[in-house]
Amino acid sequence: MFSPDNAEDFELTKKSLRIDTDDDDDLLKKLMSAAIYTLIGKIGTDKTFYDGDAKDEFDTSVMFLTDHLYRTRSATIEGTTVTEIPLSVQTFVLALKADYKVYILKKEAEIIGG
């Protein structure tokens, strides 16, 4: 599964955010972890799902959400403006939720049937 502890995944995320320095590496790893945790919470907790057919979509979602968290990292909200999760991430979440449901139903059918 996509992970900030995997050097290849981490470097791909840095490239996608166009970060050339190591100054924010620790922060970026924490944000990646938060993005993964958030997405799994919204989609489903069976981590084997994220290494299968949904791998590319999940990995891309993590990079998109990490980018959003990195660029909107203020701990306070000024005025009444609220920053929402980007539409691109929401679109992936909705698609992945449907795929996850099918995955779980197939997995349960295999247990019952075999």
Side-chain angles (χ1 to χ4, degrees):
M1 187 170 77
F2 205 73
S3 169
D5 297 326
N6 179 301
E8 187 176 307
D9 295 344
F10 183 71
E11 287 304 315
L12 180 59
T13 301
K14 278 182 74 169
K15 282 181 186 177
S16 76
L17 272 70
R18 292 178 168 74
I19 298 173
D20 297 330
T21 68
D22 298 336
D23 296 345
D24 288 339
D25 281 5
D26 291 338
L27 171 63
L28 190 57
K29 286 180 181 182
K30 289 186 183 300
L31 294 175
M32 283 179 70
S33 293
I36 291 165
Y37 179 80
T38 299
L39 291 167
I40 288 173
K42 289 182 176 296
I43 298 164
T45 58
D46 187 335
K47 293 182 182 177
T48 58
F49 169 74
Y50 303 105
D51 287 327
D53 293 339
K55 180 173 179 21
D56 290 341
E57 289 83 1
F58 180 73
D59 295 358
T60 302
S61 305
V62 171
M63 287 187 286
F64 282 179
L65 186 52
T66 301
D67 177 70
H68 171 71
L69 295 171
Y70 183 76
R71 299 195 193 291
T72 60
R73 56 188 150 165
S74 175
T76 60
I77 299 173
E78 296 180 21
T80 58
T81 304
V82 176
T83 305
E84 295 183 19
I85 292 177
L87 180 60
S88 58
V89 175
Q90 291 178 18
T91 302
F92 275 113
V93 167
L94 290 174
L96 286 166
K97 280 176 96 166
D99 292 345
Y100 183 83
K101 181 72 173 174
V102 170
Y103 171 82
I104 293 299
L105 290 172
K106 285 182 182 178
K107 196 171 178 181
E108 289 172 353
E110 289 174 6
I111 292 170
I112 293 170

